[in-house]
Amino acid sequence: MLPTAGPTTLCYAVAGIGLGTLSGLTPGLHANNFALLLASVVPALPGPSVALGAAMLAAGIVHTFLDVVPALALGVPDPATAAVTLPGHRLVLDGRGREALRLSALGSGLAAVAALPVAAVLTGAVEAIYPTLRRHFPLLLAAVAVVLVATEPTWRRRLAAVGTLLVAAGLGWLVLDLDPSGPVAAGGVLAPLFAGLFGAPVLVEALDGEGVPPQADPSVTLDPRTVVGTAGAGTGAGALVGYLPGVSAAVGTVLVLPAVPGRSGARGFLVASSGASTANTVFALFALVALGTPRTGVMVAMDRAGVPHATGVLVGTACLAAAVGFVLVVSVGDAYLRTIGRLDYTRVSLATGCVLVVLAYLFAGGVGLAVFALAALVGLVPPALGVRRVHLMAVLGPAVVLA
């Protein structure tokens, strides 16, 4: 499909892969902000609009493969990988970080393969019932919140989860309507908001840590059937996320936890979460083409740039980006872990924190710094109460309900 679009589109897709590699490996750089930055820059470049769309789509897909690398090595997740950070860290601390990278690559790769045919069939059904879903979005989000709370193992933790949800929703109500200006034109509050919620607290916890220990061999110890099953669960989570606003890949992964075999533990969860993140982009692409509703930052960027809905070219781009992303996770990820393992982890954490502060300022100026500081305080709530950080994704709830 892709070669028929011509060498220009192929070159743009390759350039997008390079950009997605840089964004995925940059701690704290949220895919949505990066996509909106592309939307402001790419249209000024020469070339057909479909080629520009291929660049943005390729960057977004490769980002979903590689954002797990800084999440495992540095503890700074993209919100899409927030749910996987703790299980992935356990593997890294046990010396199984190289295996974790391969599990993540398998989850993302298998989900991309499964999502393409499933999305082609499922999108028609969603298109038929979408008006009904749209009318009941607040109820659907409330149901998702109830299920998330119910996944906590004790009543005390469930009550704490409700408190976390309310605090996060209050933060969203307070800051999401802000329209700050920063040095980067395609800015906004998402970068400082998510960096504060999911990045800064983990770095604070890591200051006294011993860093990345030596990593053992990369062999995958999870049996193939479980890998395929958990990747399928991640694909299902990606479908939920791709068509419904206000539901992140991290939330979707928690919702499909019952489908993850208990014996797979952190490994199965890692596969499912990585699969959900990548499948989300594929399903969101079909949602944009069929429903005209951009569900991710990449799709918003493509929509703003007026990218034509050339499904064949875009699907071919997605396949190419997924194949390259699979290889990059393994090759670049191993080197990333080795490099971080040689460094003083306290200094690494402080330097990474400085990167987050700089990003907050670049995307939202002084307001961004204030949002980052407030979000960092809220981000400390889940570990203090002993509940999952994924409840913080309620921060997006007010934007969806009021839309």
Side-chain angles (χ1 to χ4, degrees):
M1 290 178 285
L2 190 60
T4 61
T8 300
T9 300
L10 182 59
C11 289
Y12 269 79
V14 172
I17 289 172
L19 292 173
T21 301
L22 293 176
S23 68
L25 295 176
T26 302
L29 182 55
H30 183 235
N32 284 349
N33 288 101
F34 182 69
L36 294 177
L37 180 61
L38 285 177
S40 67
V41 175
V42 170
L45 300 176
S49 55
V50 68
L52 304 178
M56 288 186 275
L57 179 62
I61 288 180
V62 171
H63 183 105
T64 67
F65 274 81
L66 287 173
D67 58 2
V68 73
V69 176
L72 292 176
L74 298 171
V76 183
D78 186 292
T81 59
V84 79
T85 304
L86 184 56
H89 277 163
R90 286 200 293 266
L91 292 174
V92 172
L93 293 176
D94 290 339
R96 302 303 304 172
R98 298 176 69 195
E99 179 189 5
L101 290 170
R102 283 150 182 80
L103 288 169
S104 176
L106 285 171
S108 290
L110 290 172
V113 171
L116 287 169
V118 171
V121 175
L122 185 61
T123 301
V126 173
E127 192 173 6
I129 64 172
Y130 186 75
T132 303
L133 290 175
R134 176 118 186 130
R135 288 195 300 270
H136 297 92
F137 273 155
L139 291 177
L140 288 172
L141 291 181
V144 169
V146 169
V147 174
L148 280 179
V149 170
T151 60
E152 295 291 349
T154 67
W155 280 107
R156 186 197 68 79
R157 289 178 60 175
R158 288 168 191 157
L159 289 174
V162 171
T164 302
L165 285 167
L166 293 175
V167 171
L171 176 64
W173 176 82
L174 184 64
V175 306
L176 286 177
D177 284 338
L178 297 177
D179 188 20
S181 60
V184 176
V189 296
L190 284 181
L193 180 61
F194 286 131
L197 286 174
F198 298 103
V202 178
L203 290 175
V204 170
E205 296 168 5
L207 285 175
D208 295 329
E210 297 181 359
V212 177
Q215 300 298 301
D217 67 274
S219 57
V220 174
T221 57
L222 207 60
D223 66 273
R225 180 177 298 181
T226 303
V227 170
V228 173
T230 50
T235 304
L240 175 68
V241 175
Y243 295 114
L244 295 180
V247 183
S248 73
V251 172
T253 303
V254 174
L255 295 179
V256 300
L257 273 177
V260 178
R263 66 181 181 278
S264 64
R267 290 173 171 82
F269 193 60
L270 178 59
V271 173
S273 182
S274 299
S277 179
T278 300
N280 172 27
T281 303
V282 176
F283 285 107
L285 171 63
F286 279 80
L288 175 63
V289 172
L291 306 175
T293 54
R295 286 283 175 257
T296 67
V298 173
M299 299 308 141
V300 170
M302 292 172 62
D303 190 50
R304 289 185 182 180
V307 175
H309 297 165
T311 307
V313 174
L314 296 177
V315 168
T317 299
C319 294
L320 174 65
V324 176
F326 181 91
V327 175
L328 288 174
V329 171
V330 176
S331 57
V332 177
D334 282 351
Y336 207 104
L337 285 175
R338 284 196 303 270
T339 301
I340 298 300
R342 298 190 189 105
L343 302 177
D344 180 276
Y345 205 65
T346 299
R347 293 182 179 179
V348 169
S349 298
L350 291 173
T352 306
C354 291
V355 171
L356 298 185
V357 172
V358 170
L359 287 173
Y361 177 77
L362 288 177
F363 282 109
V367 173
L369 295 178
V371 170
F372 174 79
L374 182 59
L377 292 175
V378 174
L380 293 171
V381 171
L385 298 179
V387 297
R388 297 187 182 98
R389 283 191 171 90
V390 71
H391 301 297
L392 294 174
M393 290 308 300
V395 72
L396 295 178
V400 177
V401 172
L402 297 176

